[in-house]
Amino acid sequence: MRYHEEMEQLEIPRELPVLPVRDMVVFPDMIAPLFVSRELSVSAVESAIEDRRLVLALAQRRLDAEQPSAEDLYRVGTVGMVVRMRRLPDERLKILLQGIAKARLEGWVQERPHYVARLQPIQDLPLDELSVETEALIRTLREKLDAFSQISDDMGPDLVTAIGGIGDPGRLADLVASNLGMPVDAAQRVLETPDPVRRLRAVVEHMTEELELRSTKARIEKRVLDELDKSRREYFLREQMRQIRSELGEAEDERVELAGRIERAGMPQGVREEAERQLQRLAKMHADSAEAGSIRTHLEWLLELEWTSDRAEQVDLEHARSVLDEAHLGLEPVKQRVLEYLSVRKLNPDRQAPVLCLLGPPGVGKTSLGRSIARALHRRFARISLGGLRDQAELRGHRRTYVGAMPGRIVQAVRQAGSCDPVLLLDEIDKLGADVRGDPASVLLEVLDPEQNNAFVDHYLNVPFDLSRVVFVTTANRADTIPPALLDRLELIQLPGYSLRDKTAIARRFLLPRQLERCGLEPGQIEIEEEVIERLIERHTQEAGLRQLERAIAAICRKTAHAVAGGGRVPGRVEAQDLRAYLGPSIHRPLELLAEDAVGIAHALAWTPAGGQVLQIEALQMSGRGEIILTGQLGDVMRESARTALSCARALGDARGWRGDWAELDTHIHVPAGAIPKDGPSAGLPMAVVLVSLLSGLPVRRQIAMTGEISLRGRLLPVGGLRGKILAAQRAGIAELLIPAGNGEDLDTLPAEVKSGMTIRPVATLGEALAYALCDWSA
């Protein structure tokens, strides 16, 4: 106590050498052993020894600074006395520094060979008497000191006892902070706090956090040790169990069981030899080792696959026809092609049948048609989704050297089906991807090739598996995105979509009963007449398939179910005017036909993945520089068709004497619905008719629509999507169509209901088309 009083009464000079301290903060009353090695610090200590042995200890802001600048040092530090100094053999100094009082740096007197600072001593704020809160903080700190000494070696019992006898809040906070090993920035904030109570509160908060951290660390270390002891204990117990099982013969029973299953599995010779070799490896391993588990899983996969089958091919064409008619309404050409495929399999079961690819827009029943083929063949069915697949290991499997390896989707689907000759549906084959992990399409080249798939090797199984007995069916929305080599192995079957009549019948027979059942409604609680369904199809859906239609019917059923569950009135019959209340405003409004025949505007037929569509093509001429302006988001092919049509129309005009000053006229062709991209050559004919109408001044008949690619000499070339285009014209109320003569044979393949009420005229040249399309046209 007397020493402390002497230190307080010691007169502190206004200028002192500065000792930079790198990794700690020196507090008053703190005794700190320090090693001094930097020239700046050694010079400061030697200067202090020659004078009054006093230095100003300032902590560094940047701990990695070997030669700290003035900006690298904090502005508040502690004046300390070098109580003892000893020079070491490596020219370092070992000193014992006693903290005396806090001081603030006010300026620099010199910077070389060491810093000398002008300073101002700092006094704590006066504290008249201890409040209840301060007493509580002091007691809390003492309790935490006791707890801290039990889990840490940083504070011994003697030090805790000495600190516990201090009643001054400021001195207590400084001494505890100096022994806590706080980070430099946190300790510096405590040092710079002049209020003793706030300084004490900050130390208590830091000690609370430190106690929680150290307690958590102790619990984690104890848990790790317990887990280690548990693992050792389990190892010894497993070893004892293995010895017991060995004495009882249970380990031998597992190997005998696996050997018996291998004997009964009917594996080919090479596969059986590989399975027996793996079984021998398993017998030499510890039963609980990771490698043993991997081998056991591999054997389970080999044993759960069906390798041989004595089932004869059962093809009943009458049964197949009934299955297809039951599950699919319409699609007669598609069903006929499937029946032809099944007939060939019936007459020649050993012939390698082609791989069918069901090609069509979404929602037309491609996946369900694959299920129907499996039912018709009396085979099991499995589906593999290929959409977005980019890793070939997903199909061929992972090698067993990898952790978590498993067979590819092909083998998994065969196992899921439970037979070696299922019908596998490869869904969305047009959406395969490729990246650095390989190209899945290259795997399918082998899988779908009858000359190669009889010995397909999955990387996980590592033995050949015969896929030649599997019936593969694929589906796609577009053929142009399928790799050419893969497309060459497929036989395409087009599913163009459903007519309005087919959709109406499907909705009444299949979709409405299914949604009634899902919503918990009785059949009589909702009735939708054919006219209402037709309006629903035309105004609220625009697709080749049925998904949007089923969603709309589901919305009607849900609203009815809500009314029934709430005890409200059950609407019963749904009328056309009720559709707005159920589904909101019409999404698709019917094309508004022209009120009268007009010059420079005609109806064109287009095909989209959602089915056919009727477009209006408009043209105008105006003063300009002889340019052609094309608008409406037209693709490159459609732009070329427009230029071809313009050249053809100009040539016809020259032949008929309609000579105009083309160098001073701009021709503008526009296809409305500008937000929708359009492309394709089938708009060539309507564009040529519009331009000829513009040149001749003859109006285009409003009740006629047309499609066809046009050549530079006015010949009309065949186009695709004829069925969808005719259906679109029916929906729009157009009664007469012009199509290329090359599409005349396609009319014979269309059902009668598609062509009913329509006058379809095949034309071979632009001249023939103009005779029907323009009013008062004379050849």
Side-chain angles (χ1 to χ4, degrees), residues 248-307:
L248 295 176
E250 292 182 1
E252 188 66 26
D253 291 344
E254 181 186 13
R255 291 192 291 271
V256 170
E257 179 189 357
L258 288 175
R261 292 176 62 187
I262 293 173
E263 183 73 24
R264 299 187 299 271
M267 300 177 178
Q269 182 64 27
V271 179
R272 178 174 177 176
E273 291 175 358
E274 174 66 17
E276 291 175 346
R277 188 173 70 85
Q278 296 295 332
L279 183 60
Q280 291 175 3
R281 289 184 59 203
L282 180 63
K284 299 176 183 178
M285 293 182 179
H286 192 286
D288 297 318
S289 66
E291 182 68 15
S294 174
I295 293 176
R296 193 177 293 110
T297 304
H298 180 232
L299 286 175
E300 289 292 339
W301 271 100
L302 292 177
L303 292 171
E304 290 180 7
L305 290 173
E306 185 181 62
W307 295 90

Side-chain angles (χ1 to χ4, degrees), residues 501-516:
R501 178 180 176 183
D502 290 341
K503 287 185 178 182
T504 304
I506 292 172
R508 289 177 60 83
R509 287 177 52 183
F510 298 103
L511 303 185
L512 181 58
R514 182 162 62 193
Q515 291 302 324
L516 287 174

Side-chain angles (χ1 to χ4, degrees), residues 337 341 353-358 474 487-493:
R337 178 62 188 87
Y341 169 82
V355 179
L356 300 181
C357 179
L358 306 177
T474 66
L487 185 63
D488 184 59
R489 287 165 166 77
L490 306 177
E491 181 170 339
L492 301 182
I493 298 180

